[in-house]
Amino acid sequence: MKKWGLWLLVGVTSLGLVGCQSRGQAHQAAKKMTSSRSASASSSVTKPKTPKAKAAKSQTTKPVPAAPFKQIAQSTMGHLKGQNAVFIQTTAGQTLSWHNRSQKAASDIKLFILATVYRQVAAGKFDLAATYTLREADKVGGTGNLQAQAAGTRVTNRELLKDMMTVSDNTATNIIIREVGGLAAVNQEIKRLGATQTVLRRKMMDQKALAAGRDNETSARDLGNLLMKIWRHQLISRSADTAILKLMAANTNHTKLPKLVPASRQIYNKTGEFDTYGVENDAAIFARGKQAVVVVALSQNGELSQQIPAMNQLGKRVDAAVFH
């Protein structure tokens, strides 16, 4: 009996120990499950923060609707005769392309010639300090003062470029076109820029080309995209784009888009006009500090008495919508 009692006691004790171990393991397992649930609960609380953060980021980068610009374009340029187009883009992302089409470029084509020059300057193919000797055959009519200079006058390429951009000198422009490699070189740069509605088909004042139906064309959108690239220093380089802006800031014709804009605004622009075809164009940047808006207006087959006041109001109202 004692022997069986002893074995019974050992068995019970062993079972008790096993039970204790099982309860301990169960307790540890329960503890782990509790921890896991706590961690899972904690994770479920923090997860919604990620989409909220993404949503907030998305809201800050989303372009502002351009609805006010459409109304401004229609109310200022919509009643004009002929073909009229407007392009507006702000550094905040607002964009309007209104009645965009390929139209007569007039002197606004000179912006693409300017881009070609600075592309070649950056590549070491064009020397701004080099001098050119004016020939009688170089002289053409229209805008500019170089045509009044005596043959044999020496000018630097930098001076020719300044004349082309500040007073829209046609003689200087034709010399520059030839110096960069002709129409083909400029059109190659136009294509590289992705300007699909722009082409240089003739030099300035080439009446034979005009009679044959060959004219220079561009669009409000092509010009607007070019100006925004220049403003953002995304055209060629910071130094080249800054030099282009400096030339545009020295333009002497502010009778169109910039006329009613506050004097405190920094203006960069290039106009174009061709009375024979009722053409009045202007491509401008209005800036205040780092904030800027590109405004382009093209009008052809219209009347000067209507076109200029319309552009005055367009520039004024766009400026007010952006900066006030």
Side-chain angles (χ1 to χ4, degrees):
M1 291 292 295
K2 289 182 179 181
K3 187 175 180 180
W4 283 103
L6 179 60
W7 279 106
L8 182 61
L9 179 61
V10 170
V12 170
T13 303
S14 298
L15 288 171
L17 289 172
V18 171
C20 287
Q21 289 177 352
S22 298
R23 285 193 298 272
Q25 289 173 349
H27 176 71
Q28 291 296 327
K31 187 176 180 180
K32 287 181 180 179
M33 289 177 65
T34 303
S35 299
S36 176
R37 284 195 300 268
S38 298
S40 177
S42 175
S43 176
S44 67
V45 171
T46 57
K47 281 182 180 178
K49 292 182 180 179
T50 302
K52 286 182 180 178
K54 288 183 178 179
K57 184 177 180 181
S58 176
Q59 289 174 2
T60 59
T61 58
K62 186 178 180 180
V64 182
F69 292 151
K70 183 177 181 180
Q71 191 277 329
I72 291 172
Q74 289 176 335
S75 62
T76 56
M77 302 286 290
H79 67 283
L80 299 182
K81 294 181 179 179
Q83 295 76 46
N84 304 282
V86 172
F87 181 89
I88 303 168
Q89 188 173 65
T90 72
T91 47
Q94 293 172 300
T95 302
L96 171 72
S97 183
W98 181 79
H99 291 180
N100 185 71
R101 60 170 71 84
S102 184
Q103 297 187 205
K104 291 183 180 297
S107 286
D108 276 291
I109 198 70
K110 294 170 184 176
L111 284 165
F112 292 96
I113 298 170
L114 182 65
T116 305
V117 168
Y118 275 96
R119 180 74 59 188
Q120 294 191 8
V121 169
K125 297 179 180 179
F126 192 93
D127 184 4
L128 291 173
T131 59
Y132 180 84
T133 302
L134 182 66
R135 304 175 306 174
E136 197 65 37
D138 293 326
K139 299 179 183 181
V140 295
T143 53
N145 305 314
L146 199 56
Q147 59 184 303
Q149 300 296 314
T153 300
R154 294 180 67 81
V155 290
T156 66
N157 284 334
R158 182 175 282 105
E159 290 170 333
L160 289 171
L161 215 55
K162 181 179 179 181
D163 288 344
M164 180 179 79
M165 294 306 298
T166 59
V167 295
S168 206
D169 196 299
N170 289 327
T171 298
T173 302
N174 286 350
I175 295 171
I176 290 292
I177 291 173
R178 188 171 64 246
E179 292 296 293
V180 297
L183 305 184
V186 177
N187 285 322
Q188 182 179 0
E189 176 63 12
I190 289 170
K191 185 177 180 180
R192 196 203 67 79
L193 290 169
T196 59
Q197 295 174 306
T198 301
V199 60
L200 178 67
R201 293 195 179 98
R202 64 172 178 83
K203 290 185 177 180
M204 305 303 107
M205 308 306 293
D206 185 346
Q207 299 300 327
K208 290 183 179 180
L210 283 169
R214 299 195 307 275
D215 202 359
N216 302 324
E217 295 183 354
T218 190
S219 70
R221 184 173 57 206
D222 280 356
L223 284 166
N225 288 335
L226 176 68
L227 293 193
M228 188 55 78
K229 286 179 182 178
I230 295 169
W231 173 256
R232 289 174 171 164
H233 301 302
Q234 295 174 344
L235 186 69
I236 300 168
S237 67
R238 178 169 289 276
S239 60
D241 296 351
T242 299
I244 291 173
L245 286 171
K246 185 176 180 180
L247 283 169
M248 292 181 66
N251 181 26
T252 58
N253 189 345
H254 284 180
T255 61
K256 299 178 186 179
L257 290 173
K259 184 175 182 180
L260 302 179
V261 170
S264 59
R265 206 74 67 237
Q266 181 61 56
I267 305 296
Y268 310 86
N269 81 308
K270 182 71 194 79
T271 58
E273 42 275 328
F274 201 163
D275 294 344
T276 304
Y277 298 95
V279 173
E280 292 294 334
N281 299 336
D282 201 0
I285 303 172
F286 304 157
R288 183 178 66 186
K290 294 183 178 180
Q291 185 183 12
V293 58
V294 165
V295 191
V296 180
L298 303 184
S299 181
Q300 66 183 21
N301 297 320
E303 295 181 4
L304 180 66
S305 60
Q306 295 181 342
Q307 292 163 317
I308 300 300
M311 290 184 185
N312 293 164
Q313 289 299 317
L314 175 64
K316 177 183 178 181
R317 292 180 60 182
V318 169
D319 180 87
V322 173
F323 298 107
H324 299 289

